[in-house]
Amino acid sequence: MQLTGAEIICECLIEQGVDTVFGYPGGAALNTYDALYKYSDKIKHILTAHEQGAAHAADGYARATGKVGVCITTSGPGATNTVTGIATANIDSIPMVVITGNVNTSLLGRDSFQEVDIVDIVKPITKGSYLVKRIEDLAPAIRTAFALATDGRKGPVLIDVPKDITAQLTDYKPLTPPEKASREVSGAEDIAKAVELINNAKFPIIYAGGGVISADASPELIEFAEKIDAPVCCSLMGLGCIPATHRLNMGNLGMHGTYATGMATEKCDLIIACGARFSDRVAGDPKKFGSQATIIHIDIDKNEIDKNVKTDNHIVGDMKAVLEILNNHVEKQNHTQWLVQLEIWKGEHVAHREKLGDYMSALDVLLMINKKKAPEDIIATDVGQHQMWVAQYSEIERPRTLLTSGGMGTMGFGMGAAIGAQCGMPKRRVFLVTGDGSFHMNLNELVTLKSYNLPVIVLVFNNQVLGMVRQWQKLFYGSRFSQTDPKRATDFVKVAEAFGIPGFRLDKAEDVEEVFDKALGLGGPAVIDCVISPDANVLPMIPPGKTVNEIVTEM
């Protein structure tokens, strides 16, 4: 059958199992949006307030569902506004396809109105970017993009489609996406050596990263941990791969991890890194990190091997497949003495709740989320102190229920991510935990929450300062608070009401449950302004480039 390029885009999306897209229309994308009108019974389009919000929403949708997130925008600024969202998805290995419009092919390279070379702009932050100059290449390009986004280490792909290509006609033949081929695992010698090292270890730990969740390998990881009786320390991206309440879960690892996880990496004799990349927020000093231990690195991306920390053995392959093999070959073990020692460390250097005048603590709010949410409910965060408090205190029981910008550290990510998650998982409750600094960046997306009546509960940890940067200024810059106390007068309750959303102010610990119950009972979006002290700190903290031996537990 003959279809226009715009119709081919829609047909290919349906072919790939896409039922929801996020975006913002514009001149170069008008043909595509006209086709979306025709296909509106099959593809739901979520209109955001800004293209960055659309990119973060596609990202959050992908993180929560495990499917590919899709973002559609126009050319020029519409395309460039997605760049931060694309970079965020790229560093966290999130599968996403971005389809941008562009000027007619005859106008390319002429500095035409709203023309930009988005393909070259995003090359360093995508798995691939393509300019479609022939309509015959459009369907193959879209199919390639979806395959590439989900193949191996997942990530974003961009397709740039000039307006005249979306108007032209060509023959279109539907295709069924091929079954994903089973991925090979690196040599038998690597596996045999890993099995030997694991069987002989006395004090092993598992360092679990986002790759476990990306591969849907959480069941296999839990089986592995239980079989070798090894504690699991999670990176920020790995939280949820093992239930927070599991006896082997040690919690978050790294700069704002616990003293126990830090000591575990200092005293273990074997580190089994699963889908983790030894980032600087985990391995502050890469030369000292786990230097006393043998290190096994399991990852789907061979480029990550020995990139940050030198390892002794590695297995390259799909995490689920690798763990299945290891579970079939490692011996059942018991490390009771080691686990007892870890419990002792858990009781040492615990950061106590700070007494900061009459202010409510952020912990009061986070513990209430734990009480009110179901295990499958979702927490999205922005970036800053609130993000680290969530990592420390929130009970993340399931994979894909913590959505946070781990690698890029993108302030303003959370609102879009919460929108995408709620659209992708409508039967689950979504909580957005943000700070007043991050919330100011994308609070315009409150209009999206209201327009689609998405029941996201927005919790703004409002200390009226840029808390995390200010904390660093306390520690390392002699308390010279340069531009971190902006003295903004924003009333978040009134802001919410201006968007047509109920707003609540929460400044007393004894009122937390009552306010939560009111917000949860609405059945729609709500904003809770949580007033906390500007002097609240995220502790413990290992200073950058240091080890657990220099941990800061009080200020």
Side-chain angles (χ1 to χ4, degrees), residues 153 186 190 272-278 295-319 322:
R153 181 173 180 170
S186 65
D190 295 327
I272 310 162
C274 299
R277 56 192 180 85
F278 299 95
I295 301 177
I296 301 171
H297 193 180
I298 306 169
D299 206 282
I300 199 167
D301 184 359
K302 66 176 190 274
N303 295 316
E304 287 297 331
I305 306 299
D306 295 335
K307 185 174 81 174
N308 294 325
V309 170
K310 182 70 176 173
T311 60
D312 301 283
N313 172 245
H314 62 262
I315 302 172
V316 177
D318 177 76
M319 185 60 58
V322 173

PDB file of all heavy atoms in Angstrom, residues 153 186 190 272-278 295-319 322:
ATOM      1  N   ARG A 153      23.928  -2.727  25.113  1.00  0.00           N
ATOM      2  CA  ARG A 153      23.722  -1.659  26.084  1.00  0.00           C
ATOM      3  C   ARG A 153      22.715  -0.676  25.492  1.00  0.00           C
ATOM      4  O   ARG A 153      22.965  -0.046  24.471  1.00  0.00           O
ATOM      5  CB  ARG A 153      25.044  -0.953  26.394  1.00  0.00           C
ATOM      6  CG  ARG A 153      24.892   0.159  27.421  1.00  0.00           C
ATOM      7  CD  ARG A 153      26.250   0.718  27.811  1.00  0.00           C
ATOM      8  NE  ARG A 153      26.117   1.782  28.796  1.00  0.00           N
ATOM      9  CZ  ARG A 153      27.147   2.318  29.450  1.00  0.00           C
ATOM     10  NH1 ARG A 153      28.376   1.857  29.222  1.00  0.00           N
ATOM     11  NH2 ARG A 153      26.959   3.283  30.325  1.00  0.00           N
ATOM     12  N   SER A 186      30.805 -14.134  26.892  1.00  0.00           N
ATOM     13  CA  SER A 186      32.228 -14.311  26.608  1.00  0.00           C
ATOM     14  C   SER A 186      32.729 -15.678  27.056  1.00  0.00           C
ATOM     15  O   SER A 186      32.069 -16.379  27.811  1.00  0.00           O
ATOM     16  CB  SER A 186      33.041 -13.196  27.267  1.00  0.00           C
ATOM     17  OG  SER A 186      32.946 -13.272  28.668  1.00  0.00           O
ATOM     18  N   ASP A 190      36.622 -17.494  30.885  1.00  0.00           N
ATOM     19  CA  ASP A 190      36.264 -16.385  31.772  1.00  0.00           C
ATOM     20  C   ASP A 190      35.236 -16.829  32.801  1.00  0.00           C
ATOM     21  O   ASP A 190      35.312 -16.474  33.985  1.00  0.00           O
ATOM     22  CB  ASP A 190      35.694 -15.213  30.965  1.00  0.00           C
ATOM     23  CG  ASP A 190      36.725 -14.597  30.031  1.00  0.00           C
ATOM     24  OD1 ASP A 190      37.911 -14.582  30.383  1.00  0.00           O
ATOM     25  OD2 ASP A 190      36.326 -14.125  28.950  1.00  0.00           O
ATOM     26  N   ILE A 272      32.030  -8.604  43.051  1.00  0.00           N
ATOM     27  CA  ILE A 272      31.404  -9.061  41.809  1.00  0.00           C
ATOM     28  C   ILE A 272      30.537  -7.909  41.315  1.00  0.00           C
ATOM     29  O   ILE A 272      29.448  -7.668  41.835  1.00  0.00           O
ATOM     30  CB  ILE A 272      30.553 -10.325  42.026  1.00  0.00           C
ATOM     31  CG1 ILE A 272      31.353 -11.390  42.777  1.00  0.00           C
ATOM     32  CG2 ILE A 272      30.046 -10.868  40.699  1.00  0.00           C
ATOM     33  CD1 ILE A 272      30.497 -12.468  43.413  1.00  0.00           C
ATOM     34  N   ALA A 273      31.040  -7.163  40.349  1.00  0.00           N
ATOM     35  CA  ALA A 273      30.336  -5.999  39.826  1.00  0.00           C
ATOM     36  C   ALA A 273      29.402  -6.448  38.711  1.00  0.00           C
ATOM     37  O   ALA A 273      29.847  -6.992  37.697  1.00  0.00           O
ATOM     38  CB  ALA A 273      31.317  -4.959  39.311  1.00  0.00           C
ATOM     39  N   CYS A 274      28.109  -6.214  38.897  1.00  0.00           N
ATOM     40  CA  CYS A 274      27.091  -6.665  37.942  1.00  0.00           C
ATOM     41  C   CYS A 274      26.404  -5.459  37.313  1.00  0.00           C
ATOM     42  O   CYS A 274      25.628  -4.763  37.975  1.00  0.00           O
ATOM     43  CB  CYS A 274      26.054  -7.538  38.647  1.00  0.00           C
ATOM     44  SG  CYS A 274      26.705  -9.044  39.388  1.00  0.00           S
ATOM     45  N   GLY A 275      26.700  -5.192  36.059  1.00  0.00           N
ATOM     46  CA  GLY A 275      26.042  -4.098  35.359  1.00  0.00           C
ATOM     47  C   GLY A 275      26.287  -2.750  35.978  1.00  0.00           C
ATOM     48  O   GLY A 275      25.402  -1.902  36.019  1.00  0.00           O
ATOM     49  N   ALA A 276      27.491  -2.535  36.471  1.00  0.00           N
ATOM     50  CA  ALA A 276      27.866  -1.270  37.112  1.00  0.00           C
ATOM     51  C   ALA A 276      29.145  -0.762  36.464  1.00  0.00           C
ATOM     52  O   ALA A 276      29.912  -1.541  35.894  1.00  0.00           O
ATOM     53  CB  ALA A 276      28.063  -1.466  38.611  1.00  0.00           C
ATOM     54  N   ARG A 277      29.385   0.547  36.572  1.00  0.00           N
ATOM     55  CA  ARG A 277      30.503   1.116  35.819  1.00  0.00           C
ATOM     56  C   ARG A 277      31.571   1.796  36.674  1.00  0.00           C
ATOM     57  O   ARG A 277      32.404   2.531  36.155  1.00  0.00           O
ATOM     58  CB  ARG A 277      29.978   2.080  34.757  1.00  0.00           C
ATOM     59  CG  ARG A 277      29.099   3.191  35.279  1.00  0.00           C
ATOM     60  CD  ARG A 277      28.376   3.939  34.145  1.00  0.00           C
ATOM     61  NE  ARG A 277      27.541   5.000  34.684  1.00  0.00           N
ATOM     62  CZ  ARG A 277      27.965   6.217  34.975  1.00  0.00           C
ATOM     63  NH1 ARG A 277      29.224   6.524  34.784  1.00  0.00           N
ATOM     64  NH2 ARG A 277      27.149   7.122  35.463  1.00  0.00           N
ATOM     65  N   PHE A 278      31.542   1.553  37.992  1.00  0.00           N
ATOM     66  CA  PHE A 278      32.570   2.115  38.876  1.00  0.00           C
ATOM     67  C   PHE A 278      32.703   3.627  38.670  1.00  0.00           C
ATOM     68  O   PHE A 278      33.800   4.154  38.504  1.00  0.00           O
ATOM     69  CB  PHE A 278      33.925   1.449  38.630  1.00  0.00           C
ATOM     70  CG  PHE A 278      33.966  -0.024  38.889  1.00  0.00           C
ATOM     71  CD1 PHE A 278      33.782  -0.939  37.863  1.00  0.00           C
ATOM     72  CD2 PHE A 278      34.190  -0.520  40.168  1.00  0.00           C
ATOM     73  CE1 PHE A 278      33.821  -2.307  38.101  1.00  0.00           C
ATOM     74  CE2 PHE A 278      34.233  -1.875  40.414  1.00  0.00           C
ATOM     75  CZ  PHE A 278      34.045  -2.777  39.384  1.00  0.00           C
ATOM     76  N   ILE A 295      38.522  -8.531  41.743  1.00  0.00           N
ATOM     77  CA  ILE A 295      37.335  -7.913  41.160  1.00  0.00           C
ATOM     78  C   ILE A 295      36.913  -8.649  39.896  1.00  0.00           C
ATOM     79  O   ILE A 295      37.716  -8.817  38.960  1.00  0.00           O
ATOM     80  CB  ILE A 295      37.566  -6.421  40.845  1.00  0.00           C
ATOM     81  CG1 ILE A 295      37.937  -5.656  42.129  1.00  0.00           C
ATOM     82  CG2 ILE A 295      36.329  -5.804  40.208  1.00  0.00           C
ATOM     83  CD1 ILE A 295      38.252  -4.181  41.899  1.00  0.00           C
ATOM     84  N   ILE A 296      35.663  -9.083  39.878  1.00  0.00           N
ATOM     85  CA  ILE A 296      35.038  -9.655  38.687  1.00  0.00           C
ATOM     86  C   ILE A 296      34.056  -8.619  38.148  1.00  0.00           C
ATOM     87  O   ILE A 296      33.234  -8.098  38.895  1.00  0.00           O
ATOM     88  CB  ILE A 296      34.272 -10.956  39.011  1.00  0.00           C
ATOM     89  CG1 ILE A 296      35.215 -12.012  39.607  1.00  0.00           C
ATOM     90  CG2 ILE A 296      33.563 -11.491  37.775  1.00  0.00           C
ATOM     91  CD1 ILE A 296      34.471 -13.236  40.135  1.00  0.00           C
ATOM     92  N   HIS A 297      34.134  -8.327  36.874  1.00  0.00           N
ATOM     93  CA  HIS A 297      33.227  -7.345  36.270  1.00  0.00           C
ATOM     94  C   HIS A 297      32.383  -8.041  35.205  1.00  0.00           C
ATOM     95  O   HIS A 297      32.907  -8.589  34.244  1.00  0.00           O
ATOM     96  CB  HIS A 297      34.024  -6.198  35.646  1.00  0.00           C
ATOM     97  CG  HIS A 297      33.191  -5.001  35.285  1.00  0.00           C
ATOM     98  ND1 HIS A 297      33.726  -3.871  34.719  1.00  0.00           N
ATOM     99  CD2 HIS A 297      31.853  -4.755  35.405  1.00  0.00           C
ATOM    100  CE1 HIS A 297      32.766  -2.982  34.515  1.00  0.00           C
ATOM    101  NE2 HIS A 297      31.617  -3.510  34.921  1.00  0.00           N
ATOM    102  N   ILE A 298      31.063  -7.988  35.390  1.00  0.00           N
ATOM    103  CA  ILE A 298      30.120  -8.545  34.419  1.00  0.00           C
ATOM    104  C   ILE A 298      29.364  -7.389  33.791  1.00  0.00           C
ATOM    105  O   ILE A 298      28.716  -6.607  34.484  1.00  0.00           O
ATOM    106  CB  ILE A 298      29.117  -9.502  35.097  1.00  0.00           C
ATOM    107  CG1 ILE A 298      29.852 -10.581  35.896  1.00  0.00           C
ATOM    108  CG2 ILE A 298      28.200 -10.134  34.064  1.00  0.00           C
ATOM    109  CD1 ILE A 298      28.934 -11.391  36.814  1.00  0.00           C
ATOM    110  N   ASP A 299      29.436  -7.261  32.464  1.00  0.00           N
ATOM    111  CA  ASP A 299      28.774  -6.147  31.794  1.00  0.00           C
ATOM    112  C   ASP A 299      28.523  -6.497  30.341  1.00  0.00           C
ATOM    113  O   ASP A 299      29.275  -7.275  29.726  1.00  0.00           O
ATOM    114  CB  ASP A 299      29.627  -4.876  31.883  1.00  0.00           C
ATOM    115  CG  ASP A 299      28.788  -3.616  31.799  1.00  0.00           C
ATOM    116  OD1 ASP A 299      28.382  -3.244  30.680  1.00  0.00           O
ATOM    117  OD2 ASP A 299      28.512  -3.017  32.854  1.00  0.00           O
ATOM    118  N   ILE A 300      27.471  -5.910  29.787  1.00  0.00           N
ATOM    119  CA  ILE A 300      27.148  -6.156  28.381  1.00  0.00           C
ATOM    120  C   ILE A 300      28.014  -5.326  27.445  1.00  0.00           C
ATOM    121  O   ILE A 300      28.137  -5.624  26.260  1.00  0.00           O
ATOM    122  CB  ILE A 300      25.645  -5.874  28.126  1.00  0.00           C
ATOM    123  CG1 ILE A 300      25.182  -6.545  26.837  1.00  0.00           C
ATOM    124  CG2 ILE A 300      25.364  -4.369  28.132  1.00  0.00           C
ATOM    125  CD1 ILE A 300      23.687  -6.589  26.674  1.00  0.00           C
ATOM    126  N   ASP A 301      28.625  -4.275  27.991  1.00  0.00           N
ATOM    127  CA  ASP A 301      29.419  -3.340  27.190  1.00  0.00           C
ATOM    128  C   ASP A 301      30.895  -3.560  27.457  1.00  0.00           C
ATOM    129  O   ASP A 301      31.403  -3.223  28.526  1.00  0.00           O
ATOM    130  CB  ASP A 301      29.011  -1.901  27.536  1.00  0.00           C
ATOM    131  CG  ASP A 301      29.713  -0.864  26.676  1.00  0.00           C
ATOM    132  OD1 ASP A 301      30.538  -1.256  25.824  1.00  0.00           O
ATOM    133  OD2 ASP A 301      29.431   0.338  26.855  1.00  0.00           O
ATOM    134  N   LYS A 302      31.592  -4.113  26.484  1.00  0.00           N
ATOM    135  CA  LYS A 302      33.016  -4.411  26.683  1.00  0.00           C
ATOM    136  C   LYS A 302      33.848  -3.158  26.904  1.00  0.00           C
ATOM    137  O   LYS A 302      34.939  -3.208  27.481  1.00  0.00           O
ATOM    138  CB  LYS A 302      33.570  -5.204  25.492  1.00  0.00           C
ATOM    139  CG  LYS A 302      33.618  -4.467  24.186  1.00  0.00           C
ATOM    140  CD  LYS A 302      34.277  -5.332  23.113  1.00  0.00           C
ATOM    141  CE  LYS A 302      34.566  -4.556  21.849  1.00  0.00           C
ATOM    142  NZ  LYS A 302      33.546  -4.448  20.904  1.00  0.00           N
ATOM    143  N   ASN A 303      33.323  -1.989  26.468  1.00  0.00           N
ATOM    144  CA  ASN A 303      34.055  -0.739  26.653  1.00  0.00           C
ATOM    145  C   ASN A 303      34.103  -0.304  28.114  1.00  0.00           C
ATOM    146  O   ASN A 303      34.911   0.559  28.476  1.00  0.00           O
ATOM    147  CB  ASN A 303      33.415   0.367  25.812  1.00  0.00           C
ATOM    148  CG  ASN A 303      33.536   0.107  24.323  1.00  0.00           C
ATOM    149  OD1 ASN A 303      34.594  -0.289  23.846  1.00  0.00           O
ATOM    150  ND2 ASN A 303      32.456   0.305  23.586  1.00  0.00           N
ATOM    151  N   GLU A 304      33.237  -0.865  28.946  1.00  0.00           N
ATOM    152  CA  GLU A 304      33.252  -0.518  30.369  1.00  0.00           C
ATOM    153  C   GLU A 304      34.311  -1.295  31.145  1.00  0.00           C
ATOM    154  O   GLU A 304      34.679  -0.907  32.247  1.00  0.00           O
ATOM    155  CB  GLU A 304      31.873  -0.785  30.996  1.00  0.00           C
ATOM    156  CG  GLU A 304      30.807   0.222  30.602  1.00  0.00           C
ATOM    157  CD  GLU A 304      31.130   1.635  31.064  1.00  0.00           C
ATOM    158  OE1 GLU A 304      31.815   1.800  32.086  1.00  0.00           O
ATOM    159  OE2 GLU A 304      30.693   2.585  30.391  1.00  0.00           O
ATOM    160  N   ILE A 305      34.780  -2.397  30.576  1.00  0.00           N
ATOM    161  CA  ILE A 305      35.751  -3.237  31.280  1.00  0.00           C
ATOM    162  C   ILE A 305      37.077  -2.494  31.426  1.00  0.00           C
ATOM    163  O   ILE A 305      37.655  -2.019  30.445  1.00  0.00           O
ATOM    164  CB  ILE A 305      35.964  -4.571  30.530  1.00  0.00           C
ATOM    165  CG1 ILE A 305      34.628  -5.299  30.292  1.00  0.00           C
ATOM    166  CG2 ILE A 305      36.956  -5.441  31.279  1.00  0.00           C
ATOM    167  CD1 ILE A 305      33.882  -5.668  31.539  1.00  0.00           C
ATOM    168  N   ASP A 306      37.541  -2.375  32.659  1.00  0.00           N
ATOM    169  CA  ASP A 306      38.816  -1.731  32.993  1.00  0.00           C
ATOM    170  C   ASP A 306      38.853  -0.244  32.624  1.00  0.00           C
ATOM    171  O   ASP A 306      39.931   0.360  32.588  1.00  0.00           O
ATOM    172  CB  ASP A 306      40.000  -2.450  32.305  1.00  0.00           C
ATOM    173  CG  ASP A 306      40.191  -3.868  32.822  1.00  0.00           C
ATOM    174  OD1 ASP A 306      39.781  -4.141  33.961  1.00  0.00           O
ATOM    175  OD2 ASP A 306      40.733  -4.704  32.069  1.00  0.00           O
ATOM    176  N   LYS A 307      37.697   0.376  32.386  1.00  0.00           N
ATOM    177  CA  LYS A 307      37.675   1.798  32.030  1.00  0.00           C
ATOM    178  C   LYS A 307      37.988   2.672  33.238  1.00  0.00           C
ATOM    179  O   LYS A 307      38.773   3.627  33.138  1.00  0.00           O
ATOM    180  CB  LYS A 307      36.312   2.174  31.447  1.00  0.00           C
ATOM    181  CG  LYS A 307      36.255   3.616  30.930  1.00  0.00           C
ATOM    182  CD  LYS A 307      34.943   3.930  30.228  1.00  0.00           C
ATOM    183  CE  LYS A 307      33.845   4.254  31.206  1.00  0.00           C
ATOM    184  NZ  LYS A 307      32.609   4.697  30.521  1.00  0.00           N
ATOM    185  N   ASN A 308      37.376   2.368  34.376  1.00  0.00           N
ATOM    186  CA  ASN A 308      37.570   3.178  35.577  1.00  0.00           C
ATOM    187  C   ASN A 308      38.370   2.464  36.657  1.00  0.00           C
ATOM    188  O   ASN A 308      39.176   3.085  37.348  1.00  0.00           O
ATOM    189  CB  ASN A 308      36.213   3.607  36.154  1.00  0.00           C
ATOM    190  CG  ASN A 308      35.470   4.558  35.231  1.00  0.00           C
ATOM    191  OD1 ASN A 308      36.088   5.387  34.564  1.00  0.00           O
ATOM    192  ND2 ASN A 308      34.158   4.429  35.163  1.00  0.00           N
ATOM    193  N   VAL A 309      38.132   1.175  36.817  1.00  0.00           N
ATOM    194  CA  VAL A 309      38.821   0.375  37.828  1.00  0.00           C
ATOM    195  C   VAL A 309      39.370  -0.891  37.166  1.00  0.00           C
ATOM    196  O   VAL A 309      38.658  -1.570  36.425  1.00  0.00           O
ATOM    197  CB  VAL A 309      37.865   0.007  38.983  1.00  0.00           C
ATOM    198  CG1 VAL A 309      38.500  -1.015  39.916  1.00  0.00           C
ATOM    199  CG2 VAL A 309      37.466   1.255  39.767  1.00  0.00           C
ATOM    200  N   LYS A 310      40.626  -1.189  37.438  1.00  0.00           N
ATOM    201  CA  LYS A 310      41.248  -2.381  36.880  1.00  0.00           C
ATOM    202  C   LYS A 310      40.656  -3.623  37.535  1.00  0.00           C
ATOM    203  O   LYS A 310      40.572  -3.719  38.764  1.00  0.00           O
ATOM    204  CB  LYS A 310      42.765  -2.342  37.131  1.00  0.00           C
ATOM    205  CG  LYS A 310      43.526  -3.513  36.548  1.00  0.00           C
ATOM    206  CD  LYS A 310      43.570  -3.480  35.044  1.00  0.00           C
ATOM    207  CE  LYS A 310      44.438  -4.619  34.483  1.00  0.00           C
ATOM    208  NZ  LYS A 310      44.360  -4.689  33.012  1.00  0.00           N
ATOM    209  N   THR A 311      40.218  -4.579  36.703  1.00  0.00           N
ATOM    210  CA  THR A 311      39.585  -5.791  37.217  1.00  0.00           C
ATOM    211  C   THR A 311      40.454  -7.011  36.947  1.00  0.00           C
ATOM    212  O   THR A 311      41.354  -6.984  36.107  1.00  0.00           O
ATOM    213  CB  THR A 311      38.194  -5.984  36.591  1.00  0.00           C
ATOM    214  OG1 THR A 311      38.315  -6.085  35.169  1.00  0.00           O
ATOM    215  CG2 THR A 311      37.293  -4.807  36.923  1.00  0.00           C
ATOM    216  N   ASP A 312      40.147  -8.090  37.658  1.00  0.00           N
ATOM    217  CA  ASP A 312      40.944  -9.312  37.540  1.00  0.00           C
ATOM    218  C   ASP A 312      40.316 -10.346  36.617  1.00  0.00           C
ATOM    219  O   ASP A 312      41.000 -11.225  36.105  1.00  0.00           O
ATOM    220  CB  ASP A 312      41.119  -9.935  38.934  1.00  0.00           C
ATOM    221  CG  ASP A 312      41.800  -8.983  39.897  1.00  0.00           C
ATOM    222  OD1 ASP A 312      43.031  -8.829  39.792  1.00  0.00           O
ATOM    223  OD2 ASP A 312      41.107  -8.368  40.727  1.00  0.00           O
ATOM    224  N   ASN A 313      39.013 -10.246  36.453  1.00  0.00           N
ATOM    225  CA  ASN A 313      38.297 -11.202  35.603  1.00  0.00           C
ATOM    226  C   ASN A 313      37.051 -10.488  35.098  1.00  0.00           C
ATOM    227  O   ASN A 313      36.451  -9.670  35.821  1.00  0.00           O
ATOM    228  CB  ASN A 313      37.913 -12.445  36.420  1.00  0.00           C
ATOM    229  CG  ASN A 313      36.999 -13.389  35.664  1.00  0.00           C
ATOM    230  OD1 ASN A 313      35.856 -13.581  36.060  1.00  0.00           O
ATOM    231  ND2 ASN A 313      37.480 -13.984  34.587  1.00  0.00           N
ATOM    232  N   HIS A 314      36.670 -10.759  33.876  1.00  0.00           N
ATOM    233  CA  HIS A 314      35.454 -10.130  33.365  1.00  0.00           C
ATOM    234  C   HIS A 314      34.677 -11.088  32.472  1.00  0.00           C
ATOM    235  O   HIS A 314      35.246 -11.989  31.851  1.00  0.00           O
ATOM    236  CB  HIS A 314      35.779  -8.835  32.608  1.00  0.00           C
ATOM    237  CG  HIS A 314      36.644  -9.036  31.393  1.00  0.00           C
ATOM    238  ND1 HIS A 314      38.008  -8.834  31.432  1.00  0.00           N
ATOM    239  CD2 HIS A 314      36.347  -9.407  30.128  1.00  0.00           C
ATOM    240  CE1 HIS A 314      38.509  -9.083  30.226  1.00  0.00           C
ATOM    241  NE2 HIS A 314      37.527  -9.429  29.421  1.00  0.00           N
ATOM    242  N   ILE A 315      33.379 -10.865  32.447  1.00  0.00           N
ATOM    243  CA  ILE A 315      32.488 -11.621  31.565  1.00  0.00           C
ATOM    244  C   ILE A 315      31.649 -10.596  30.816  1.00  0.00           C
ATOM    245  O   ILE A 315      30.940  -9.793  31.429  1.00  0.00           O
ATOM    246  CB  ILE A 315      31.562 -12.569  32.358  1.00  0.00           C
ATOM    247  CG1 ILE A 315      32.386 -13.539  33.207  1.00  0.00           C
ATOM    248  CG2 ILE A 315      30.641 -13.330  31.414  1.00  0.00           C
ATOM    249  CD1 ILE A 315      31.540 -14.379  34.163  1.00  0.00           C
ATOM    250  N   VAL A 316      31.746 -10.619  29.498  1.00  0.00           N
ATOM    251  CA  VAL A 316      30.969  -9.697  28.671  1.00  0.00           C
ATOM    252  C   VAL A 316      29.763 -10.443  28.116  1.00  0.00           C
ATOM    253  O   VAL A 316      29.901 -11.479  27.468  1.00  0.00           O
ATOM    254  CB  VAL A 316      31.824  -9.125  27.522  1.00  0.00           C
ATOM    255  CG1 VAL A 316      30.971  -8.230  26.621  1.00  0.00           C
ATOM    256  CG2 VAL A 316      33.018  -8.357  28.069  1.00  0.00           C
ATOM    257  N   GLY A 317      28.573  -9.904  28.409  1.00  0.00           N
ATOM    258  CA  GLY A 317      27.374 -10.548  27.903  1.00  0.00           C
ATOM    259  C   GLY A 317      26.132 -10.036  28.592  1.00  0.00           C
ATOM    260  O   GLY A 317      26.197  -9.220  29.526  1.00  0.00           O
ATOM    261  N   ASP A 318      24.993 -10.497  28.134  1.00  0.00           N
ATOM    262  CA  ASP A 318      23.712 -10.110  28.721  1.00  0.00           C
ATOM    263  C   ASP A 318      23.665 -10.555  30.179  1.00  0.00           C
ATOM    264  O   ASP A 318      23.948 -11.709  30.511  1.00  0.00           O
ATOM    265  CB  ASP A 318      22.583 -10.780  27.925  1.00  0.00           C
ATOM    266  CG  ASP A 318      21.227 -10.493  28.514  1.00  0.00           C
ATOM    267  OD1 ASP A 318      20.728  -9.382  28.333  1.00  0.00           O
ATOM    268  OD2 ASP A 318      20.675 -11.391  29.181  1.00  0.00           O
ATOM    269  N   MET A 319      23.290  -9.633  31.066  1.00  0.00           N
ATOM    270  CA  MET A 319      23.343  -9.905  32.503  1.00  0.00           C
ATOM    271  C   MET A 319      22.473 -11.085  32.901  1.00  0.00           C
ATOM    272  O   MET A 319      22.871 -11.921  33.723  1.00  0.00           O
ATOM    273  CB  MET A 319      22.919  -8.646  33.275  1.00  0.00           C
ATOM    274  CG  MET A 319      23.049  -8.756  34.777  1.00  0.00           C
ATOM    275  SD  MET A 319      24.750  -9.076  35.332  1.00  0.00           S
ATOM    276  CE  MET A 319      25.583  -7.656  34.616  1.00  0.00           C
ATOM    277  N   VAL A 322      24.234 -14.295  31.805  1.00  0.00           N
ATOM    278  CA  VAL A 322      25.439 -14.569  32.600  1.00  0.00           C
ATOM    279  C   VAL A 322      25.060 -15.100  33.976  1.00  0.00           C
ATOM    280  O   VAL A 322      25.626 -16.099  34.464  1.00  0.00           O
ATOM    281  CB  VAL A 322      26.316 -13.313  32.724  1.00  0.00           C
ATOM    282  CG1 VAL A 322      27.470 -13.561  33.701  1.00  0.00           C
ATOM    283  CG2 VAL A 322      26.868 -12.905  31.361  1.00  0.00           C
TER     284      VAL A 322
END
